[in-house]
Amino acid sequence: MEEQHYSDDVYGRARVNDTPELEAYYKELETLGAGALWTVANDIEPWEPRPNSVPMLWKYDDLRALVLKSSELVTPEQAGRRVVYLVNDKRKDVSAAVGWLYTGIQVTRPGESTSAHRHRASALRFIMEGSKGYTVVDGNKIMLEVNDFVITPNSTWHEHGVEADGQTCIWQDGLDIPLVNALEANDYAVFDGKQPLDVPLNYSPKTYSGVGLIPADVQWDKPYSPLFKYSWSKVYPALLEALDVNPIDPFDGIHMRYSNPLTGGHVMQTMSASMQLLPKGFKGKAHKHTGSFVYQCAKGSGYSIINGKRFNWKERDIFCVPSWAWHEHHNASETEDACLFHFNDLPVIEGLGLYQDRVYNENNGHQNIKE
């Protein structure tokens, strides 16, 4: 692996050797709720970003039966939201899948619905299976189809359900709950009854997903996208058209970000999402960057090498790439393309000026796989 090696035994780093006098001094500071910076400086100021999370893969084939079983064990009324959440081995204390991001798999049966609620955390959905599912976001009822991407931004009233003549729906949830909790800023409220529907069915996607068109006479003053659903029926053809006329990025293939149609920016203040197409036979090169990423395979199959370990994925499998982890994506097929959906915390990373990246230069850009 291509790694930098640093020594703390240099000028500018903490290099104080303990003595009995210093140890007594530290204890005296501790009684006053204080401490000496040089005792912790090298740990809290690492030479490079230091992720606490580890790469993980959650196989849908292993989880699906247990997700469905939850619908036999508890009702939406009992659970609030019936979700099997995915937790990183190193982030169990904050219920995070990677970094400060949460993800889970939610199931809703025909005729069921959740109570309307809101929270300071922002949320998103990626639809995995089923039919005639819907969400209601601030009075906008929107029908959902497989591989659609849906947002329920910070503090919007929202509820979900499946029409009585639909099929059981399963989707991936993504939230910034760990981040908002870390900032001690989260809250939660339940709506009294069902939300009134303020606009016609599918108003948001029909109004704001026109090709290069936005309403000329509608004012939108929210800090998030007015487009609440990004339809796979439009996203996938857009990827294919981009593939026709653009060079293939050596790291990410054809990489397209879901955007706010009014600004071109991220869909929400704290989380962004993208869809990337890996052309047939694509062998991505490795790089790393700050920002935590949760992926789901939307189409095809392949594998990712993350910090020297290979993770094989196929449709509906979910995996994570921690911040500052070397990663490369490969399409396993020589005849079909593969598509990876992902969401991340880049709006926070970029907004705070914390983004940085590095390219893997050894072995023609490909990591050696650890046994």
Side-chain angles (χ1 to χ4, degrees), residues 18 26 44 52 61 93 104 179 190 240 253 325 353:
D18 286 349
Y26 299 152
I44 67 174
N52 292 316
D61 285 349
D93 56 328
L179 172 65
V190 176
L240 295 178

Side-chain angles (χ1 to χ4, degrees), residues 132-137 139-145 148-151 159 161 197 199-206 226-231:
K132 294 193 175 181
Y134 65 85
T135 188
V136 184
V137 183
N140 290 261
K141 183 175 180 179
I142 301 167
M143 302 306 296
L144 309 176
E145 297 180 359
D148 286 354
F149 167 60
V150 184
I151 64 171
E159 59 193 276
L197 300 183
V199 292
L201 181 68
N202 291 323
Y203 170 83
S204 171
K206 286 186 175 181
L227 178 56
F228 294 152
K229 183 185 82 165
Y230 298 76
S231 300

Side-chain angles (χ1 to χ4, degrees), residues 87-153:
V87 62
N88 195 281
D89 286 343
K90 298 295 185 180
R91 303 294 284 158
K92 294 179 180 180
D93 56 328
V94 292
S95 303
V98 64
W100 295 101
L101 296 174
Y102 160 99
T103 198
I105 302 175
Q106 184 167 173
V107 59
T108 308
R109 287 177 163 183
E112 291 183 336
S113 63
T114 61
S115 61
H117 59 280
R118 69 181 181 187
H119 34 70
R120 199 64 55 168
S122 296
L124 55 84
R125 329 280 163 196
F126 191 75
I127 314 306
M128 303 172 78
E129 62 176 272
S131 66
K132 294 193 175 181
Y134 65 85
T135 188
V136 184
V137 183
D138 273 350
N140 290 261
K141 183 175 180 179
I142 301 167
M143 302 306 296
L144 309 176
E145 297 180 359
V146 170
N147 281 354
D148 286 354
F149 167 60
V150 184
I151 64 171
T152 52

Side-chain angles (χ1 to χ4, degrees), residues 278-317:
L278 309 182
K280 56 186 179 182
F282 179 79
K283 308 296 181 188
K285 294 189 175 184
H287 64 158
K288 64 181 178 181
H289 45 71
T290 45
S292 299
F293 285 64
V294 178
Y295 286 83
Q296 183 188 141
C297 176
K299 182 180 184 292
S301 63
Y303 62 94
S304 296
I305 303 172
I306 310 171
N307 281 345
K309 183 177 180 180
R310 175 169 169 156
F311 295 85
N312 297 314
W313 41 257
K314 62 180 182 178
E315 281 188 25
R316 306 301 160 224
D317 290 344

Side-chain angles (χ1 to χ4, degrees), residues 3-17:
E3 296 290 350
Q4 297 285 338
H5 297 284
Y6 301 99
S7 171
D8 286 330
D9 189 23
V10 295
Y11 182 74
R13 298 294 277 180
R15 298 180 293 166
V16 178
N17 295 318

Side-chain angles (χ1 to χ4, degrees), residues 126-200:
F126 191 75
I127 314 306
M128 303 172 78
E129 62 176 272
S131 66
K132 294 193 175 181
Y134 65 85
T135 188
V136 184
V137 183
D138 273 350
N140 290 261
K141 183 175 180 179
I142 301 167
M143 302 306 296
L144 309 176
E145 297 180 359
V146 170
N147 281 354
D148 286 354
F149 167 60
V150 184
I151 64 171
T152 52
N154 171 319
S155 295
T156 55
W157 290 109
H158 56 282
E159 59 193 276
H160 320 292
V162 178
E163 301 288 11
D165 60 345
Q167 296 177 323
T168 296
C169 287
I170 299 176
W171 56 73
Q172 180 182 6
D173 293 330
L175 294 97
D176 58 1
I177 287 175
L179 172 65
V180 180
N181 284 344
L183 296 172
E184 300 176 0
N186 210 359
D187 60 17
Y188 192 93
V190 176
F191 194 84
D192 185 12
K194 291 292 184 181
Q195 295 181 70
L197 300 183
D198 299 330
V199 292

Side-chain angles (χ1 to χ4, degrees), residues 32-74:
L32 301 175
L37 172 61
W38 60 83
T39 64
V40 298
N42 293 347
D43 283 331
I44 67 174
E45 297 176 316
W47 290 101
E48 289 189 341
R50 182 189 297 163
N52 292 316
S53 308
V54 293
M56 290 188 66
L57 170 71
W58 295 273
K59 288 285 191 180
Y60 190 57
D61 285 349
D62 297 336
L63 285 166
R64 184 177 183 274
L66 291 173
V67 171
L68 289 171
K69 187 174 182 178
S70 73
S71 69
E72 303 170 3
L73 299 175
V74 296

